[in-house]
Amino acid sequence: MSNAMDSRATESNHAQTSAADSVDAAMMATARGGYKSEEEKKREKSYGAVPKKNRYGAREFRDFLSYLLLTILGIIWIMPIVWVFLESFNANPEPYQATFFPTKYSFDNYRLLFTRTDVFNFPRMFVNTLVIACFVCIISVFFVLSVAFCMSRLRFRFRKTFMNVVLILGMFPSIMSVVAVYFILKAMGLTSSGMTIFALILVYSAGAGAGFYVMKGYMDTIPISLDEAARLDGCSTWQVFTRIIIPICRPMIVYQAITAFLSPWLDFVLARTICRTQDTFTVALGLWSMLQKEYIQDWYARFAAGAVCVSIPIALLFMFMQHFYQESMSGATKG
Amino acid sequence: MDEFRKKGRIVSAAAVKPAAKSARHGKVKKVSKDYVPPSPYSFRAAMAHGDVFTRLSIVIWGLGNFARKQIVKGILWLAIEVLGIWYFIAAGFPAIQALPELGAKPGSKYQDSEGFWHYRTVTPSVVVLLYGVCAIVILLVFVWLWALEVRSSYKAQVLKAERGHAPGFRQDLYDLTDSRAEVSLMFLPILGIFAFTVLPLVFMISMAFTSYDSNHVSKFDWVGLTNFGTVFSSRMSGDVNIHIFMDVLVWTLVWAFFATFLNFFLGMFLSMIIERKTTKGKPFWRGLFSMSIAVPQFVSLLVMNQMLQQNGAINRLLESWGWISGPLPFFTNTTWARVTVIVINLWVGIPFTMMQITGILENIPSELYEAAKIDGANWWQQFCNVTMPYIMFVLTPYLITTFASNVNNFNVIYLLSGGDPTPVGSTAGKTDLLITWLYKLTVDNSNYNLGAVIGICTFIVLAVVSLLTYHSSGSYQNEEAFR
């Protein structure tokens, strides 16, 4: 049981760190860890066995201290989340109220959020973001898989060069190119209000090939003998890719798909530069705008309601991903 | 065997080649085991050994392919040549010619044949610059394609001589799925990276050498290194000078240092408390701390920003408890603001670190602890000599990239403090990082040239820090360690 929880915890962690554009070098180690559960259980016994030697009183005191610390920290960590949740039901929609938690509760914020669509069309934003997210998810998974496969499995000239170039490109601050991307999209005629969805899909997924490092790290742990066996059976490189490597990479594909799916929900910098009119907004941009000076008086509580609406699907997706990861992890590389 | 090796350029086959090659030359040449020898069908070889068709294909693309009965390939090359030349005549060369001037002066008038005055419609310089940069990039690609085409002709000639016939179009297509799979697989991803990463970067970098700021929105000129001079000037007036720059740079590095290492050590501390053998309900505690991950980062940051305002929820709460008399200056006092963003970043980051380190703790081979126990090591010695080295071994590359992403951590600063407190008349706030300052300069103040200079400086800082460390890390040097 403990093993199951740990792998899940690890997985969700990866989803987020890489969402923050970091190359997760620990992936390999943790991914491999998924399938040596018996060893882990054995070690779990030995790890932390030393305090046993201490006297009982001291140990109980330490236990008490650690529970106290965990409780305090737990409250700090959970408080803002509870606050958003309660604030979304606040009957009084003004910001900066006299009490920390609301005093009266109602469903009005949710009702208004989905019906009063003249200023911020939340349902429209939600659909926009969903459409963008689906396309970005498909395209970037394809890009990442094919680049990672080439980097991990094939040997060709310019392979190292490509990896170094991507590394260097990643060091340029991405914000720097936001304005340039806008001009390029404008030159392509993609900034008119009907085309921004297409533009955002293009922008979010085009660079995905550069984020191959985590996937490559995972592919590097797949035994090369599998490829060789497939080749002796007459598979071409593409067949090795689609029939051998992709099925084994399923857990990482889920992880990659979900991070790609999440990026349009979380990014607001690019969206702010590209979407100039209300009806093209994405959820992140809309929520951000609700807290600007001109709207905050009316939209404060509805912002909280919108935040809860966005968090629920993302949290569900998270849990789903962890389940899937867990299941496929146990079968993949053993077979 | 030869067929097999040719068919699949798999790793083991590639590893055999360099050894054979160096043996033939009779000298020991050190090559990495990933080394792939250059193709024998080089441009130089094509010029030296090509026949008349191969050489003529310099002028008429695909001629060499036609001569070797590779009709479809020849047609494709010819089509690319025609398209390319048509593009350069119609748009490419005019765009490149306009680059030095960056478009005409605005407001110039001309008189038509009937004596009416018209204002010339002027293309904004930024569009001229964009098209010029695009045309140069396309020109480079065109030249590269040209070299490819000559090599393709030469290859057809050689293969025809060796086998009696050059591979047909069907065979070429099959090769794209097999021995040259990297071409078909990488084409679209590289196109995407080129169009939306490389091109914008070249474009932005070129802006650093122009006068594109709020005073020159439609027409600007090349100004050489003037902008670098402005950023590094010691004049106290102006939006940007060396003092503000150094302030922001130092704070960026301090922030990245604390954000990375405090997160790391406190996250490790937390995960070790949870992983204590006597702690009950481990899944519950982990779940509790990972709750904050499920809430999108920008939402929790915006909420935090609201809670920490002068009259926000936290100050209200503390006042109602009677702990403070006036509101705490979370984002109005420099030191308060800087500590606040670091602490809030801990709130955001520790759950990630915690779960990462939990995963690694689970993976430490139990033999290490058993051996340590047999040697009589106490808890602290086990921690210093087993746990810590193992975590550091796995996480060093991760720490480096985290440091880099913290230098570029736009969201936390921009959404949380917005760079506040900002001194009156200054473009950079006291909690602004280079990246948020850049964003403010470009998006809010339209000083694109200065923003570009700061972007280049950020890149240099990052490149120095990460290239040094990343290239010495295990995951780069020994990528096949786990196979």
Side-chain angles (χ1 to χ4, degrees):
Chain A
M1 180 58 213
S2 142
N3 178 31
M5 269 316 292
D6 289 340
S7 303
R8 259 185 239 175
T10 317
E11 177 50 28
S12 49
N13 169 26
H14 292 308
Q16 285 291 324
T17 32
S18 133
D21 278 351
S22 62
V23 181
D24 195 347
M27 195 61 220
M28 290 192 297
T30 41
R32 275 180 304 124
Y35 35 85
K36 44 177 196 179
S37 58
E38 276 171 39
E39 226 176 285
E40 270 171 36
K41 276 175 204 156
K42 224 192 293 167
R43 198 209 5 74
E44 189 138 327
K45 277 179 204 154
S46 61
Y47 181 64
V50 172
K52 227 186 259 176
K53 288 175 189 165
N54 294 319
R55 284 188 187 80
Y56 272 95
R59 202 189 106 189
E60 272 158 11
F61 180 68
R62 281 216 297 257
D63 278 357
F64 171 74
L65 269 189
S66 61
Y67 282 128
L68 188 73
L69 190 71
L70 284 177
T71 314
I72 295 173
L73 290 178
I75 291 173
I76 294 176
W77 251 266
I78 213 76
M79 188 64 92
I81 300 162
V82 174
W83 183 82
V84 182
F85 188 73
L86 293 180
E87 176 67 27
S88 71
F89 292 103
N90 196 346
N92 179 1
E94 282 173 18
Y96 311 129
Q97 290 165 13
T99 53
F100 187 75
F101 289 120
T103 44
K104 274 188 201 157
Y105 295 92
S106 81
F107 258 109
D108 274 2
N109 298 323
Y110 287 93
R111 196 173 50 78
L112 287 176
L113 184 69
F114 282 95
T115 52
R116 196 69 68 73
T117 53
D118 45 346
V119 180
F120 288 110
N121 192 341
F122 190 77
R124 176 75 186 262
M125 291 175 199
F126 205 89
V127 172
N128 279 349
T129 321
L130 192 68
V131 170
I132 294 171
C134 289
F135 278 99
V136 168
C137 179
I138 295 166
I139 299 176
S140 36
V141 166
F142 170 69
F143 278 13
V144 167
L145 271 176
S146 41
V147 175
F149 176 75
C150 293
M151 292 300 128
S152 167
R153 282 316 205 240
L154 306 177
R155 289 293 179 270
F156 48 94
R157 275 183 91 68
F158 307 121
R159 176 178 153 275
K160 279 265 174 187
T161 319
F162 178 78
M163 284 168 64
N164 284 333
V165 166
V166 167
L167 198 71
I168 290 169
L169 284 180
M171 269 175 239
F172 277 100
S174 55
I175 305 287
M176 185 170 155
S177 56
V178 163
V179 179
V181 165
Y182 176 72
F183 283 124
I184 290 172
L185 289 172
K186 202 172 171 185
M188 290 163 77
L190 291 177
T191 48
S192 58
S193 70
M195 297 300 276
T196 49
I197 288 190
F198 188 65
L200 282 175
I201 292 173
L202 213 57
V203 169
Y204 287 135
S205 50
F212 64 85
Y213 273 94
V214 178
M215 185 68 92
K216 173 184 174 292
Y218 187 82
M219 284 184 183
D220 280 345
T221 64
I222 300 172
I224 194 89
S225 56
L226 285 179
D227 299 35
E228 281 163 359
R231 277 179 191 287
L232 286 176
D233 289 345
C235 279
S236 69
T237 311
W238 264 49
Q239 284 167 328
V240 171
F241 177 48
T242 51
R243 299 198 183 160
I244 312 288
I245 302 293
I246 288 185
I248 294 179
C249 286
R250 213 168 39 183
M252 279 306 286
I253 292 174
V254 174
Y255 153 70
Q256 206 75 49
I258 293 200
T259 46
F261 187 84
L262 286 183
S263 61
W265 299 87
L266 304 182
D267 164 83
F268 93 108
V269 181
L270 269 170
R272 189 186 166 203
T273 322
I274 293 168
C275 304
R276 303 286 167 117
T277 49
Q278 290 286 353
D279 56 332
T280 58
F281 272 19
T282 62
V283 167
L285 188 55
L287 287 180
W288 181 78
S289 320
M290 286 180 195
L291 288 189
Q292 296 312 293
K293 284 191 187 75
E294 52 270 43
Y295 300 113
I296 190 167
Q297 285 299 329
D298 295 332
W299 285 86
Y300 193 59
R302 270 178 270 175
F303 158 78
V308 172
C309 288
V310 176
S311 303
I312 287 173
I314 292 181
L316 285 178
L317 209 62
F318 238 76
M319 287 173 209
F320 164 76
M321 167 177 79
Q322 287 159 11
H323 263 289
F324 192 94
Y325 179 78
Q326 193 56 37
E327 279 163 20
S328 47
M329 204 62 242
S330 52
T333 338
K334 276 178 190 162
Chain B
M1 181 58 205
D2 189 42
E3 180 62 27
F4 171 65
R5 192 194 291 175
K6 191 151 52 58
K7 194 175 168 193
R9 247 176 302 157
I10 52 174
V11 182
S12 53
V16 179
K17 284 179 190 168
K21 193 188 172 198
S22 51
R24 196 173 61 221
H25 285 284
K27 59 182 175 186
V28 182
K29 195 175 148 195
K30 200 185 165 198
V31 284
S32 114
K33 63 180 178 227
D34 290 344
Y35 178 77
V36 180
S39 156
Y41 313 112
S42 67
F43 188 79
R44 188 178 304 216
M47 288 302 94
H49 311 296
D51 63 3
V52 61
F53 291 115
T54 305
R55 293 188 187 188
L56 267 183
S57 66
I58 292 176
V59 187
I60 305 164
W61 289 27
L63 190 65
N65 300 101
F66 282 124
R68 270 31 102 172
K69 293 196 179 120
Q70 292 181 323
I71 305 295
V72 183
K73 212 173 182 179
I75 291 176
L76 284 178
W77 281 126
L78 201 59
I80 292 176
E81 183 184 18
V82 171
L83 272 178
I85 290 175
W86 174 73
Y87 163 78
F88 280 112
I89 291 173
F93 284 124
I96 294 176
Q97 272 173 354
L99 261 186
E101 289 296 316
L102 286 173
K105 289 255 182 303
S108 59
K109 293 185 286 189
Y110 67 97
Q111 205 169 13
D112 66 12
S113 54
E114 289 166 26
F116 291 109
W117 284 95
H118 296 275
Y119 280 102
R120 241 179 256 281
T121 48
V122 196
T123 329
S125 294
V126 65
V127 177
V128 175
L129 182 63
L130 177 64
Y131 285 163
V133 168
C134 285
I136 288 178
V137 170
I138 292 174
L139 181 65
L140 291 178
V141 171
F142 194 69
V143 169
W144 176 70
L145 281 175
W146 174 66
L148 272 190
E149 178 268 340
V150 173
R151 288 168 57 184
S152 147
S153 288
Y154 177 59
K155 185 176 178 184
Q157 175 199 337
V158 172
L159 290 181
K160 166 122 186 175
E162 279 176 3
R163 302 179 189 170
H165 67 94
F169 188 61
R170 196 177 294 260
Q171 178 65 37
D172 281 336
L173 279 187
Y174 179 77
D175 282 349
L176 277 182
T177 69
D178 189 19
S179 59
R180 282 154 51 81
E182 68 266 11
V183 178
S184 54
L185 284 173
M186 303 267 292
F187 178 72
L188 280 179
I190 287 190
L191 191 69
I193 293 174
F194 229 81
F196 286 99
T197 309
V198 177
L199 195 59
L201 270 181
V202 176
F203 184 46
M204 273 320 269
I205 289 172
S206 64
M207 275 186 195
F209 305 97
T210 67
S211 62
Y212 188 21
D213 57 20
S214 45
N215 299 326
H216 303 78
V217 175
S218 75
K219 167 70 185 143
F220 53 84
D221 290 299
W222 295 105
V223 291
L225 293 171
T226 315
N227 297 314
F228 289 87
T230 314
V231 171
F232 296 114
S233 77
S234 53
R235 270 184 316 117
M236 291 307 284
S237 61
D239 288 347
V240 175
N241 58 46
I242 186 73
H243 304 290
I244 304 181
F245 179 80
M246 286 315 288
D247 256 12
V248 178
L249 177 65
V250 168
W251 160 241
T252 305
L253 292 177
V254 169
W255 146 265
F257 180 81
F258 278 110
T260 309
F261 288 97
L262 273 185
N263 261 344
F264 176 67
F265 284 110
L266 295 180
M268 185 165 71
F269 179 64
L270 184 63
S271 66
M272 290 184 74
I273 289 180
I274 294 179
E275 289 300 300
R276 272 166 54 99
K277 206 205 163 201
T278 48
T279 308
K280 293 204 171 56
K282 286 179 187 145
F284 167 75
W285 293 114
R286 282 192 216 112
L288 186 72
F289 286 104
S290 48
M291 277 274 289
S292 67
I293 296 180
V295 180
Q297 201 187 39
F298 81 95
V299 168
S300 49
L301 288 173
L302 285 173
V303 167
M304 288 289 196
N305 169 283
Q306 287 307 310
M307 290 174 87
L308 290 170
Q309 293 298 322
Q310 286 285 347
N311 39 7
I314 300 266
N315 273 326
R316 295 280 178 189
L317 189 68
L318 292 179
E319 273 175 35
S320 68
W321 286 350
W323 287 13
I324 52 170
S325 51
L328 294 175
F330 285 116
F331 295 126
T332 45
N333 175 302
T334 304
T335 318
W336 272 91
R338 287 182 171 178
V339 174
T340 306
V341 289
I342 289 179
V343 170
I344 300 293
N345 187 56
L346 287 182
W347 186 89
V348 172
I350 279 183
F352 298 126
T353 325
M354 178 200 80
M355 296 206 292
Q356 186 141 30
I357 291 184
T358 308
I360 295 168
L361 287 179
E362 293 283 321
N363 272 356
I364 300 180
S366 53
E367 303 92 77
L368 293 179
Y369 284 109
E370 278 155 24
K373 262 191 297 180
I374 288 169
D375 289 346
N378 62 22
W379 179 86
W380 177 248
Q381 284 167 324
Q382 283 189 22
F383 174 75
C384 289
N385 297 318
V386 179
T387 316
M388 209 43 208
Y390 192 90
I391 292 178
M392 289 314 285
F393 172 77
V394 178
L395 281 191
T396 308
Y398 166 76
L399 279 179
I400 297 159
T401 48
T402 314
F403 186 86
S405 64
N406 272 324
V407 168
N408 281 335
N409 201 334
F410 179 83
N411 273 357
V412 169
I413 297 294
Y414 192 80
L415 296 178
L416 193 60
S417 72
D420 286 339
T422 311
V424 178
S426 173
T427 45
K430 288 295 180 187
T431 54
D432 260 330
L433 304 179
L434 284 172
I435 187 107
T436 54
W437 189 30
L438 184 162
Y439 186 77
K440 285 182 175 175
L441 280 176
T442 50
V443 175
D444 299 345
N445 297 350
S446 305
N447 284 328
Y448 297 95
N449 51 356
L450 296 179
V453 171
I454 290 166
I456 293 172
C457 295
T458 315
F459 166 72
I460 292 170
V461 169
L462 269 182
V464 169
V465 173
S466 25
L467 274 185
L468 283 179
T469 35
Y470 188 71
H471 269 257
S472 58
S473 76
S475 73
Y476 179 82
Q477 288 180 341
N478 198 6
E479 51 186 324
E480 282 162 27
F482 292 104
R483 276 206 267 235

